[in-house]
Amino acid sequence: MRFLVDESIGNRFADILSRHEYNALFAGNVMRGAPDEKILAFAEKEKLIIITDDKDFGELVFRLKKSTKGVILFRTLTTDPEKLFEMVKGVLHKAGGKFIVVKEGQVRVRDLK
């Protein structure tokens, strides 16, 4: 699986994913400052799963019915990339075709189809 880490999460998180042998791009390196719609379209075209803490992606996917390969949405108090990785590492392998919301002590997985 391939991931696109949103600028709001940060490049350090993308580096952690890469260090753990996940294929991860940082949005700030490939499309700095792009609006969410363009990020979503790029991720879909490149078959990337978006990792973000921007809840606007939920609106794009569910209300506006925009297509995506998957989204992992952090709704956490921490912004520490190491802690975020620990919270999500157990679901990274099943993120394709899912909208996953990660909170402290809770992970919700929703099918996109």
Side-chain angles (χ1 to χ4, degrees):
M1 265 181 236
R2 300 173 60 220
F3 299 95
L4 179 64
V5 178
D6 194 16
E7 286 181 280
S8 63
I9 295 294
N11 195 31
R12 284 183 52 215
F13 187 81
D15 289 344
I16 290 167
L17 287 175
S18 296
R19 199 170 58 232
H20 285 90
E21 300 184 9
Y22 290 98
N23 187 332
L25 293 175
F26 176 57
N29 290 340
V30 292
M31 51 192 325
R32 180 171 300 280
D36 296 341
E37 294 86 359
K38 289 195 182 219
I39 291 170
L40 192 65
F42 174 80
E44 177 68 6
K45 179 181 170 226
E46 298 296 322
K47 297 178 175 46
L48 301 167
I49 296 164
I50 296 171
I51 300 177
T52 187
D53 65 1
D54 183 344
K55 61 185 177 183
D56 291 341
F57 284 95
E59 180 175 337
L60 290 170
V61 171
F62 294 112
R63 192 173 73 75
L64 299 178
K65 307 291 187 208
K66 301 288 185 179
S67 183
T68 182
K69 296 297 176 202
V71 175
I72 297 174
L73 174 67
F74 283 106
R75 304 300 301 150
T76 61
L77 298 175
T78 187
T79 58
D80 179 280
E82 293 286 348
K83 290 179 182 175
L84 293 175
F85 179 75
E86 287 302 315
M87 290 176 171
V88 78
K89 69 181 181 182
V91 295
L92 289 171
H93 68 282
K94 60 181 172 184
K98 310 286 185 201
F99 194 99
I100 299 173
V101 179
V102 179
K103 297 180 180 181
E104 279 88 356
Q106 179 184 12
V107 176
R108 290 183 303 152
V109 180
R110 181 174 174 183
D111 287 326
L112 290 172
K113 306 285 185 223

